[in-house]
Amino acid sequence: MPIATSSKRAAILAIAGRTFLRHGYANASMDGIVAEAGGSKSTLYRYFPSKAALFAAFVEEVGTVTRAAFATVDVEGKDAKAVLEETARAYLDLISTPSALAMTRLVMAEAGRFPEVGRIFYEHGIQRTERQIAAILKRLAERGDVPDRSGLARPGAAAQFRALCEAGPHEGCVWGLRETVSQEEIAKIAHQAATHFLRGWTGQA
């Protein structure tokens, strides 16, 4: 893809992301995005044939940050509990940012009226995140330092680990009860998530 084309697409996505988060999915206007991005409406629709496709691309773009964060987790050089704590910290650091919280609130507010918003976020966001967590669990299951290693590869394990990470302070942020989660809290939650997960899914305390 030519650099100019790639740059134009990235510019449209950046503007669309700000528009979705500021105005919501329902009130986000393709005409308004075109006006801010410059160019023609036909150019916008050449990249993104619908508002749903544009939202999906935005969620996918946000997801690249998540994938990059999980890619840095050192699976081979640490024991299972340390790996899970590192995974949990990486995930919590991402979902606790103002932009991630705004995205979560946006989807929660709009999914009832626009089911495609919930589907897009689930498929391009949550499911992809769980696949990355599942890949880390699979690599741990292939090692010999975890009792009942088969537990790590069971269906639902990644979803359960994700839920353990999200419980507590992060939920308070989503519902507007607090603004941030401190690094000290993130470390504590990561430790608890790793401990409870290993105990529940492998029998390891």
Side-chain angles (χ1 to χ4, degrees):
M1 180 181 291
I3 293 176
T5 302
S6 179
S7 298
K8 186 63 175 180
R9 184 181 187 279
I12 292 172
L13 271 181
I15 291 168
R18 292 197 300 269
T19 302
F20 285 131
L21 295 179
R22 187 183 304 128
H23 302 294
Y25 182 82
N27 294 323
S29 164
M30 296 291 268
D31 288 336
I33 292 169
V34 169
E36 188 173 349
S40 66
K41 201 168 183 178
S42 62
T43 299
L44 172 62
Y45 280 103
R46 185 167 67 249
Y47 292 123
F48 311 104
S50 66
K51 186 161 71 170
L54 180 55
F55 183 73
F58 171 57
V59 174
E60 179 73 19
E61 184 74 12
V62 172
T64 61
V65 180
T66 306
R67 290 190 288 278
F70 283 131
T72 66
V73 174
D74 180 10
V75 178
E76 308 306 331
K78 300 176 182 178
D79 64 31
K81 190 171 184 180
V83 170
L84 291 176
E85 286 193 35
E86 185 177 344
T87 303
R89 284 196 301 272
Y91 181 55
L92 282 161
D93 280 337
L94 289 164
I95 65 174
S96 300
T97 61
S99 59
L101 290 168
M103 170 72 84
T104 302
R105 295 184 189 118
L106 163 66
V107 174
M108 291 171 65
E110 301 280 24
R113 290 182 297 166
F114 301 97
E116 70 269 25
V117 170
R119 178 187 58 77
I120 288 167
F121 185 71
Y122 184 73
E123 292 178 354
H124 293 260
I126 293 173
Q127 283 192 323
R128 285 182 179 237
T129 296
E130 288 182 358
R131 284 197 290 270
Q132 285 190 280
I133 295 173
I136 293 173
L137 297 180
K138 182 175 183 294
R139 289 169 67 187
L140 289 177
E142 292 168 351
R143 291 168 26 172
D145 61 336
V146 180
D148 188 20
R149 291 172 291 164
S150 62
L152 295 178
R154 291 174 194 160
Q160 183 68 49
F161 183 74
R162 180 180 62 81
L164 286 170
C165 294
E166 293 179 4
H170 174 261
E171 289 180 320
C173 290
V174 170
W175 295 109
L177 303 179
R178 54 188 297 167
E179 292 185 1
T180 61
V181 182
S182 69
Q183 286 300 307
E184 291 78 11
E185 288 175 310
I186 284 177
K188 181 178 179 180
I189 297 165
H191 174 76
Q192 291 173 340
T195 300
H196 294 319
F197 180 81
L198 283 173
R199 183 180 297 132
W201 286 82
T202 71
Q204 178 176 323

